[in-house]
Amino acid sequence: MKKLALSDDILLKVDKPARYIGNEVNSTIKDSEKVDIRFAFCFPEVYEIGMSHLGLQILYDMFNRRDDVWCERVFSPWVDLDKIMREEHIPLFALESQDPVKKFDFLGFTLQFEMCYTNILQVLDLSGIPLHSSDRTLDDPFVIGGGPCAYNPEPLADFFDMFYIGEGEVVYDELFDAYKKWKDSGKDRTAFLEMAAEIEGIYVPSFYRADYNPDGTIAAFTPVNAHAKEKIRRQALADMSTTTYPLKPIVPFIKVTQDRAVLEIQRGCIRGCRFCQAGMVYRPTRPRDINMLKETARAMLRNTGHEEITLSSLSSSDYNELEEIVNFLIDEFHGQGVNISLPSLRIDAFSLDVMSKIQDIRKSSLTFAPEAGTQRMRNVINKGLTEEEILEGAGQAFEGGWNKVKLYFMLGLPTETEEDMEGIAVLSDKVARRYYEIPKEQRNGKCQITASSSFFVPKPFSPLQWAQMYPADEYVRRAGIVQEAMRNQLNRKSLRYNWHTAELTVLEGVFARGDRKMGTVLEEAYRLGCIYDSWNEHFRYDLWMQAFENTGIDPDFYNLRKREADEIFPWDFIDCGVTKSFLRKEWERAMNGEVTPNCRRQCSGCGAASYGGGVCYEGKN
């Protein structure tokens, strides 16, 4: 029996002690003396959120298939344990061995959301690892980051030894092999970083220098080490059927946010929504083999005992064999109490038919994502969804027995007018009206339409990366316009409206498009006590504003100014396949309200075909 890093006394003092004890079903235990590389995989959030992340399960399984690697998990301790660990000088530990993170060869972070950045500093600090990569010695692990936020790694550049740009299945084996060679050589840390920089997709920030214009924009971004490449090429798999997939996912002891088996049916999206970073950086769309999915589903449910399986994709309706995999799951697990979950569906007759088979209509709600309240605005963002299609889908759903609908919108999009804002309420009311067109005796009680709006944040490698944002009070004003319009609708009693935190949006925008200077603000905010910033009860906007003031950095520079066509962005050194010229062309089409067809209807020459697979090559072999 392994010795826990925390005593029983401490575990009894904290909320949900099962977050910290490890030893869950399907977790991997190895002999630390018989492996060459120990990798601590950190999701810098609380356990329940981290354990819901598919990428963690995929890389954990992939790394541990190697006999010479032991991958363990690390999560941010919740605030109660954080306080005790600091008072008692208890170093942060990995779940499987309970060994201190500082003993590991690598500490890898998945960077899913900008507002977890202070938690990264928390993990480094509690582990006893110097915050700055320049201060680390041979006694410290190499700190590596990956995931969606690594597409602009610059705000975190001072804290990371390297970043992996792209999909983890591609070159990690090459990196591990290089590490073993370096370890045997007895050379210094820089020597390994130079070896890593030679590997496609690995970015070593200390090997680059940013020079600035007098106005604060970037003048040049230059390699300062002979091993550093001018462009870092995103790593992506051409064929998703050749990859490993976890057949025995870890089963947590406690309920986590996504407590189910997850089956990724494809990667990428054909739709081309202009606000969506994922839709661009995961191009081209690449499906998984249908037979592989069937076998994987069987194995995962057999090996976990989960009572629900989710089909995961950016746009599940665009998976060509969706009907086959859904019918397989319905037939295969009939009578076994297994629920099937299908997020990211376009609401059409087929989708509604499927959902009526797999959901309890009386309890479930349907989700639409119109994103904007008017057709003009949906054309600007290239949503590819008309009001007629929205109302037709809602009508079919209501006639099928549903009476609860969730509608997701964005506020603060470029070119947005008051009419567009009020359009959110008008469209919500039209959906409700469609329900009440059904004869009263055929209705399923009253309908409930819940409209939610987040505030738009421009992301790197999306066509709207040039967009200006707004101050927090302007976002609140716009939400107020929508709320007032909701009150004026005929079916207002059937409508509910809620919106995202405006101050969080401001910070998310600063870090999404920030440069290296943001590292000083981040460090100052952490020093002032900022942590778990995505949790409303812990978010301290006043401390963040204090951090900006203390460091002399103006957040408005990153959010409110206009960006010119030729501006050098902090992430321009990354080649993600989709070209900057294509993104600029899409920005201009957005400003003109022009719609771009999806990838299956017409190739728009985005550049993703350079990866040699997926939808770009359908029907061409």
Side-chain angles (χ1 to χ4, degrees):
M1 185 75 178
K2 70 180 178 186
K3 188 177 187 308
L4 291 176
L6 302 176
S7 67
D8 290 348
D9 287 348
I10 291 174
L11 287 171
L12 289 170
K13 289 179 186 173
V14 299
D15 186 33
K16 299 181 183 176
R19 290 167 170 163
Y20 311 110
I21 60 177
N23 216 34
E24 307 99 316
V25 172
N26 296 333
S27 58
T28 300
I29 304 297
K30 295 187 179 183
D31 184 340
S32 61
E33 300 298 318
K34 294 181 180 176
V35 295
D36 298 314
I37 298 171
R38 298 190 69 184
F39 193 104
F41 191 113
C42 180
F43 195 109
E45 249 290 356
V46 73
Y47 175 92
E48 294 95 303
I49 291 177
M51 281 305 299
S52 303
H53 178 52
L54 176 61
L56 182 153
Q57 297 270 17
I58 288 175
L59 291 183
Y60 181 89
D61 174 78
M62 185 183 108
F63 292 175
N64 281 321
R65 290 188 188 213
R66 285 184 60 138
D67 292 336
D68 56 351
V69 175
W70 186 11
C71 179
E72 303 183 46
R73 292 161 297 137
V74 182
F75 302 99
S76 285
W78 188 241
V79 290
D80 51 2
L81 181 58
D82 176 284
K83 183 172 183 289
I84 293 170
M85 292 178 80
R86 293 176 194 276
E87 290 171 351
E88 304 287 334
H89 303 289
I90 300 168
L92 187 61
F93 52 91
L95 293 196
E96 280 75 2
S97 65
Q98 302 277 304
D99 286 342
V101 170
K102 191 175 169 71
K103 284 187 175 182
F104 284 66
D105 300 290
F106 288 92
L107 171 57
F109 287 93
T110 181
L111 310 172
Q112 295 295 315
F113 182 47
E114 290 84 0
M115 299 320 298
C116 72
Y117 285 1
T118 50
N119 282 44
I120 293 168
L121 301 191
Q122 174 212 27
V123 168
L124 292 171
D125 194 10
L126 290 176
S127 300
I129 299 168
L131 297 187
H132 289 234
S133 60
S134 56
D135 295 331
R136 293 178 196 138
T137 69
L138 289 169
D139 293 330
D140 298 302
F142 286 98
V143 179
I144 183 169
C149 291
Y151 287 102
N152 179 20
E154 289 305 277
L156 296 169
D158 291 343
F159 312 113
F160 280 76
D161 296 300
M162 64 191 103
F163 291 90
Y164 183 118
I165 310 297
E167 296 169 355
E169 295 99 332
V170 187
V171 297
Y172 257 118
D173 282 333
E174 195 177 339
L175 183 67
F176 290 155
D177 292 342
Y179 178 80
K180 286 169 65 175
K181 282 183 190 171
W182 168 80
K183 206 171 180 182
D184 291 340
S185 74
K187 293 181 179 176
D188 62 9
R189 282 178 72 91
T190 302
F192 174 61
L193 293 175
E194 289 177 341
M195 293 171 75
E198 295 277 2
I199 298 171
E200 286 287 349
I202 302 295
Y203 166 55
V204 179
S206 61
F207 291 171
Y208 296 79
R209 185 185 72 239
D211 296 308
Y212 295 90
N213 293 311
D215 66 358
T217 58
I218 294 174
F221 192 78
T222 317
V224 292
N225 184 293
H227 298 270
K229 301 177 178 68
E230 284 198 20
K231 281 275 187 184
I232 305 295
R233 170 82 164 162
R234 170 183 74 107
Q235 298 303 289
L237 295 153
D239 183 359
M240 293 301 295
S241 62
T242 61
T243 64
T244 63
Y245 199 84
L247 303 180
K248 295 182 175 183
I250 303 166
V251 183
F253 286 134
I254 58 176
K255 185 169 178 57
V256 297
T257 311
Q258 307 277 340
D259 205 4
R260 60 191 71 136
V262 181
L263 190 63
E264 184 187 40
I265 58 177
Q266 67 181 9
R267 215 168 272 180
C269 182
I270 64 171
R271 292 290 157 182
C273 297
R274 293 178 178 132
F275 58 84
C276 182
Q277 180 192 57
M280 296 295 156
V281 300
Y282 294 125
R283 288 187 175 200
T285 303
R286 292 147 292 151
R288 289 191 185 272
D289 176 72
I290 184 70
N291 294 317
M292 173 264 188
L293 292 177
K294 291 176 181 178
E295 291 306 313
T296 303
R298 278 197 194 102
M300 284 198 300
L301 290 168
R302 182 176 65 243
N303 293 326
T304 61
H306 278 307
E307 296 174 341
E308 184 171 344
I309 185 166
T310 292
L311 301 185
S312 170
S313 162
L314 289 174
S315 180
S316 300
S317 301
D318 295 319
Y319 179 62
N320 285 334
E321 294 165 297
L322 181 65
E323 188 169 4
E324 183 176 346
I325 187 62
V326 169
N327 287 333
F328 164 79
L329 292 172
I330 291 170
D331 295 343
E332 182 77 7
F333 301 106
H334 178 72
Q336 295 182 37
V338 174
N339 295 321
I340 304 164
S341 172
L342 272 167
S344 306
L345 279 180
R346 295 173 77 82
I347 306 300
D348 53 24
F350 165 68
S351 301
L352 292 166
D353 178 55
V354 167
M355 283 187 276
S356 68
K357 294 177 185 173
I358 64 176
Q359 291 184 359
D360 183 339
I361 292 172
R362 291 165 301 172
K363 295 179 182 176
S364 63
S365 61
L366 282 179
T367 300
F368 294 79
E371 309 293 0
T374 63
Q375 194 58 49
R376 186 199 74 80
M377 197 74 247
R378 284 192 292 277
N379 290 349
V380 167
I381 62 177
N382 207 47
K383 180 61 186 174
L385 196 60
T386 66
E387 183 173 294
E388 184 182 4
E389 288 169 328
I390 294 166
L391 296 178
E392 175 66 22
Q396 290 176 353
F398 294 145
E399 285 159 8
W402 275 276
N403 67 346
K404 293 192 283 289
V405 170
K406 294 178 182 175
L407 299 172
Y408 288 120
F409 298 94
M410 281 184 288
L411 276 174
L413 287 159
T415 79
E416 183 177 73
T417 66
E418 198 156 313
E419 184 182 347
D420 297 319
M421 301 171 212
E422 292 172 342
I424 291 174
V426 172
L427 181 59
S428 301
D429 185 64
K430 285 181 179 178
V431 172
R433 288 183 190 208
R434 181 65 184 82
Y435 180 79
Y436 291 114
E437 287 173 7
I438 299 171
K440 193 168 186 179
E441 63 276 9
Q442 295 174 27
R443 292 181 209 152
N444 185 15
K446 289 185 177 180
C447 82
Q448 180 184 310
I449 311 299
T450 304
S452 301
S453 63
S454 61
F455 299 116
F456 166 66
V457 176
K459 296 285 177 143
F461 296 108
S462 68
L464 301 189
Q465 63 184 348
W466 283 272
Q468 293 170 259
M469 291 180 66
Y470 300 98
D473 57 359
E474 174 60 16
Y475 290 120
V476 174
R477 186 188 77 84
R478 291 181 183 225
I481 288 171
V482 179
Q483 188 174 42
E484 182 61 27
M486 287 282 184
R487 293 191 187 113
N488 295 330
Q489 299 307 310
L490 178 68
N491 296 290
R492 55 188 170 274
K493 289 184 179 177
S494 297
L495 307 181
R496 292 183 184 175
Y497 177 59
N498 51 60
W499 62 90
H500 191 58
T501 306
E503 291 83 3
L504 265 178
T505 301
V506 170
L507 286 179
E508 190 183 339
V510 167
F511 281 102
R513 294 189 292 179
D515 53 24
R516 290 193 176 193
K517 297 172 192 171
M518 293 308 305
T520 59
V521 180
L522 176 62
E523 194 169 348
E524 180 65 5
Y526 175 68
R527 188 189 68 78
L528 290 170
C530 292
I531 195 171
Y532 280 107
D533 297 301
S534 58
W535 296 72
N536 285 337
E537 65 266 39
H538 297 294
F539 178 54
R540 291 287 305 274
Y541 190 58
D542 58 330
L543 294 183
W544 273 102
M545 291 301 101
Q546 184 68 51
F548 280 107
E549 189 177 323
N550 292 357
T551 54
I553 290 175
D554 182 7
D556 292 353
F557 172 78
Y558 296 95
N559 283 357
L560 304 187
R561 68 183 173 84
K562 183 182 179 184
R563 286 163 168 79
E564 300 299 337
D566 59 352
E567 178 173 333
I568 297 173
F569 292 147
W571 53 90
D572 275 353
F573 68 93
I574 296 173
D575 171 11
C576 80
V578 175
T579 64
K580 192 174 184 180
S581 60
F582 167 77
L583 295 173
R584 184 66 193 185
K585 184 172 74 174
E586 281 294 288
W587 164 259
E588 290 163 358
R589 288 175 69 85
M591 293 304 99
N592 294 325
E594 297 174 21
V595 172
T596 299
N598 73 59
C599 299
R600 284 207 173 103
R601 278 183 52 204
Q602 180 185 315
C603 176
S604 52
C606 72
S610 62
Y611 284 100
V615 70
C616 304
Y617 288 81
E618 277 182 8
K620 294 180 183 176
N621 327 6

